[in-house]
Amino acid sequence: MAEAPRILLVDDEPSILKVVSKRLEVEGFEVITAVDGMEGLTKAQNENPDLVILDLMLPKMDGYNVCTMLK
């Protein structure tokens, strides 16, 4: 059986993380979460997700900088 695609969800709003991650899990995805830009960048580099869903307005490092660093 193939592994579920992995999605990194980065958002500083706990309610958004909860709702979106639950919905993605129901659809069969493995969800990794992060609550700020630095944590998101670290998890993206260490976990190698298939997709990153990234809020732009984040603490510690905004989503634009995270995206630039990931390029």
Side-chain angles (χ1 to χ4, degrees), residues 10-23:
V10 186
D11 201 302
D12 59 332
E13 291 290 331
S15 60
I16 291 174
L17 283 178
K18 183 178 178 181
V19 170
V20 175
S21 63
K22 290 291 182 191
R23 182 64 185 154

Side-chain angles (χ1 to χ4, degrees), residues 26-62:
V26 166
E27 294 298 326
F29 296 99
E30 178 184 342
V31 180
I32 306 158
T33 61
V35 296
D36 62 56
M38 290 298 293
E39 182 183 12
L41 181 60
T42 300
K43 285 189 175 182
Q45 293 169 333
N46 293 336
E47 301 289 336
N48 196 26
D50 297 297
L51 176 71
V52 177
I53 299 175
L54 179 64
D55 187 10
L56 295 177
M57 299 183 76
L58 294 166
K60 297 188 183 177
M61 179 187 292
D62 69 32

